[in-house]
Amino acid sequence: MRGAGLARRRATTVTAVTAALAVGLSGTAWAAAARPGASGLGDAYYPSYGNGGYDVGHYKLDVSYDPASDLVTGKATITAKATQDLSRFDLDFGLHAQSVTVNGHAARTRTDDLELVVTPRKAIKNGASMTVVVVYAGVPSSVTADGYSPWIRTDDGAVAVGEPQISSWWFPGNDHPRDKATYDIKVTVPAGLEALSNGKLVSHGSTAGKEVWSWSESRPMATYLAYFAVGQFDITQSSTASGLPVITAVASNGGSEGTYAAADLARTGEVIDWHARHWGPYPFNITGGVAPAADFGFALENQTRPVYTRGFWRSGPNIYVVVHEQAHQWYGDSVSVDQWKDIWLNEGFASFAEWAWSEEHGDGTGAELLQAYYDGIPASDPFWQTKIGDPGKDHEFTGAVYDRGAMTLQALRQRIGDPAFWQLMRNWPRQHKYGNGSIPQFIALAERLTGEDLGGFFDAWLYSSTKPAATPENGFPAAMAGAAAARAGGSRAEVPRSKAKIDAVHRVLLAQAQGR
Ligand SMILES: [Zn+2]
């Protein structure tokens, strides 16, 4: 949603934390050969995102947030392992680092846009673990990159939710889905406010006019999925039929939208159990959802506990947005993109999950939805110009990635048949659990499973800027292709009931993407 050419936020500064910084390098050969880690992970769209030279295992975040001033103060304890002999490394970060230590020793730092460049007193040997402690403060709404800040203030708090970037606005880290880690997130807020985050609620207590909320996510998580939401919430704890704990939160002053949101979030367990029957066991150990009383124009699949703008509930309940975000727990969160250009593996799959839900809840079948979308969008529509397998930087969240993305999976289902298709949809999250996956890997898996050459199919659906022809090769059986031809001649097929609901969800999502 935003580019890699980061705006110059402030002049580059050098902070000499210690006068003795240069004396620590030992004379061993490896230390002499140690090199700086790369300032990015080489993402095709966002080369500066993430950093090279180390791999984070755990983030322990201890942050305080004051809604009145929008001030974040924090201490991040990052446990990582060097993946090369490392003389220097970057953290992605936009707030002000007051002090940085590496393995207990003060480190030299400087900032360069959203990069915090850290030079430890001693080089870190390849494979060695390191503990980096950053004490920091800042006002995230004042930090922009490319003139844009993903930080969301609300009437009574804030929502640290964004994609592909948000973590740099509240904690330092290795901000790319390829470096996942576990998290302990402790959020201190003024008395009377709630602070939601990922995973399990470890403790909640109050002290000296403050409330302290401690959360823990014990499964690997991408940085953009870590979050907090601060405000006045009504929190509900329950469990699913299978015993999975559920924590949902709806803004206390949510009005009628809050009422509808609460009704849909109360079905979270039902939705999770439904997904598990289709895609395989739920990959995490708690679930839930958060609906702040704020219009930020989208929902995000935050791991274990998605966050939803209230705009989804303007005209009543709409379970499809919950189905979409919870599908991402398999497709997006447990299996994350290898690079941001693989976004179809997230959005196309979560959108197809809405179609599958529709089919099993009497709202219209996948085949009917494919026909309705295919017939409803003429070949001349710019919709078809997006190559959803590589939509381009800043175009990851355009409509075609969602709708053509879902069409692609339904067409694949019709091309390879139900048994192979559902097997494929389960194998993918099982094989890449807690890791990453790329579109070429998915195509290879589909071809291995079916023994078919699907290159022409995926070229037509993912990599062409034209409307795929309604041929058997592209997933339209002869009968369907004939029906499409007949409709092109003027007759009309019935539009499935779910289409308006799905379109309503995607309209909210896309309005936000276009607003950037
Ligand atoms: Zn999505």
Side-chain angles (χ1 to χ4, degrees):
M1 285 185 255
R2 43 163 307 286
L6 299 173
R8 181 86 21 202
R9 199 161 31 79
R10 55 183 179 235
T12 297
T13 55
V14 178
T15 309
V17 173
T18 167
L21 40 92
V23 298
L25 278 184
S26 80
T28 61
W30 72 264
R35 294 166 294 115
S39 62
L41 272 175
D43 189 280
Y45 293 174
Y46 306 107
S48 72
Y49 285 16
N51 307 290
Y54 65 96
D55 185 72
V56 177
H58 186 72
Y59 292 92
K60 183 180 171 203
L61 307 177
D62 183 351
V63 300
S64 295
Y65 181 67
D66 177 47
S69 60
D70 195 35
L71 177 68
V72 170
T73 57
K75 177 181 172 184
T77 304
I78 303 167
T79 311
K81 188 185 268 192
T83 55
Q84 65 177 66
D85 293 335
L86 195 58
S87 63
R88 193 182 83 198
F89 60 90
D90 284 15
L91 296 168
D92 301 305
F93 196 39
L95 304 183
H96 175 64
Q98 295 162 318
S99 73
V100 180
T101 64
V102 179
N103 294 336
H105 300 288
R108 186 165 43 130
T109 64
R110 66 183 165 84
T111 56
D112 185 3
D113 294 323
L114 290 184
E115 303 283 328
L116 174 65
V117 183
V118 179
T119 306
R121 198 173 82 180
K122 291 182 182 175
I124 312 295
K125 195 169 171 51
N126 185 15
S129 65
M130 61 176 181
T131 301
V132 184
V133 178
V134 183
V135 176
Y136 58 94
V139 174
S141 57
S142 71
V143 176
T144 59
D146 271 0
Y148 165 75
S149 171
W151 190 254
I152 298 160
R153 294 182 76 177
T154 62
D155 288 348
D156 56 1
V159 185
V161 171
E163 183 185 13
Q165 268 196 314
I166 184 63
S167 62
S168 291
W169 278 258
W170 67 285
F171 69 91
N174 195 11
D175 188 16
H176 192 279
R178 242 186 256 154
D179 190 358
K180 298 189 182 189
T182 55
Y183 287 72
D184 286 301
I185 301 173
K186 183 162 107 178
V187 186
T188 302
V189 292
L193 294 182
E194 281 71 42
L196 282 300
S197 185
N198 310 90
K200 294 197 165 174
L201 179 59
V202 177
S203 66
H204 166 227
S206 34
T207 164
K210 305 276 189 191
E211 300 209 20
V212 184
W213 299 78
S214 293
W215 300 85
S216 177
E217 174 50 13
S218 61
R219 303 287 188 264
M221 176 164 73
T223 41
Y224 85 96
L225 298 170
Y227 80 105
F228 70 71
V230 168
Q232 285 197 311
F233 289 96
D234 297 331
I235 296 178
T236 304
Q237 303 202 38
S238 61
S239 62
T240 67
S242 57
L244 184 72
V246 185
I247 299 180
T248 58
V250 176
S252 305
N253 57 343
S256 61
E257 288 133 348
T259 305
Y260 299 139
D264 278 341
L265 294 190
R267 298 180 65 188
T268 293
E270 171 198 344
V271 170
I272 289 288
D273 286 348
W274 181 86
H275 280 311
R277 284 199 296 278
H278 290 76
W279 329 121
Y282 179 64
F284 308 117
N285 55 17
I286 189 167
T287 182
V290 178
D295 289 306
F296 45 92
F298 64 99
L300 189 68
E301 62 267 22
N302 301 91
Q303 189 158 309
T304 70
R305 194 163 294 111
V307 179
Y308 306 86
T309 186
R310 68 175 162 190
F312 289 112
W313 288 288
R314 200 124 286 162
S315 49
N318 190 341
I319 197 65
Y320 283 88
V321 70
V322 178
V323 172
H324 180 102
E325 300 309 330
Q326 294 294 9
H328 278 308
Q329 304 302 314
W330 285 258
Y331 305 114
D333 294 7
S334 178
V335 185
S336 297
V337 292
D338 183 58
Q339 298 194 50
W340 283 106
K341 70 179 187 178
D342 297 308
I343 192 69
W344 169 68
L345 296 170
N346 290 16
E347 300 308 342
F349 284 50
S351 299
F352 174 76
E354 297 176 66
W355 291 24
W357 176 277
S358 167
E359 179 164 317
E360 292 189 20
H361 291 78
D363 271 357
T365 66
E368 289 165 346
L369 280 159
L370 174 57
Q371 274 190 353
Y373 279 95
Y374 188 85
D375 294 349
I377 308 172
S380 58
D381 195 294
F383 172 91
W384 296 108
Q385 288 170 11
T386 302
K387 299 174 184 177
I388 60 171
D390 189 1
K393 178 165 87 71
D394 296 332
H395 296 286
E396 304 95 307
F397 303 99
T398 54
V401 175
Y402 293 71
D403 293 332
R404 184 175 178 169
M407 295 165 77
T408 302
L409 286 172
Q410 176 62 30
L412 179 65
R413 178 184 174 191
Q414 296 175 184
R415 165 76 198 260
I416 67 177
D418 266 14
F421 176 77
W422 294 111
Q423 190 65 50
L424 174 65
M425 294 298 279
R426 293 171 74 91
N427 284 7
W428 178 249
R430 192 175 67 227
Q431 291 189 3
H432 296 267
K433 189 176 181 182
Y434 304 144
N436 302 81
S438 69
I439 293 175
Q441 287 175 319
F442 181 80
I443 293 173
L445 181 65
E447 292 188 328
R448 260 201 319 278
L449 192 75
T450 58
E452 289 186 49
D453 176 357
L454 296 169
F457 172 90
F458 284 112
D459 278 350
W461 279 104
L462 297 181
Y463 298 114
S464 94
S465 53
T466 55
K467 184 174 182 175
T471 62
E473 190 191 20
N474 289 342
F476 292 89
M480 247 182 114
R487 281 189 302 282
S491 70
R492 294 181 57 187
E494 201 179 323
V495 174
R497 192 164 33 178
S498 58
K499 187 168 182 296
K501 301 176 195 172
I502 292 169
D503 285 344
V505 169
H506 294 187
R507 233 184 347 263
V508 174
L509 294 168
L510 302 176
Q512 177 262 354
Q514 282 155 12
R516 295 228 168 144

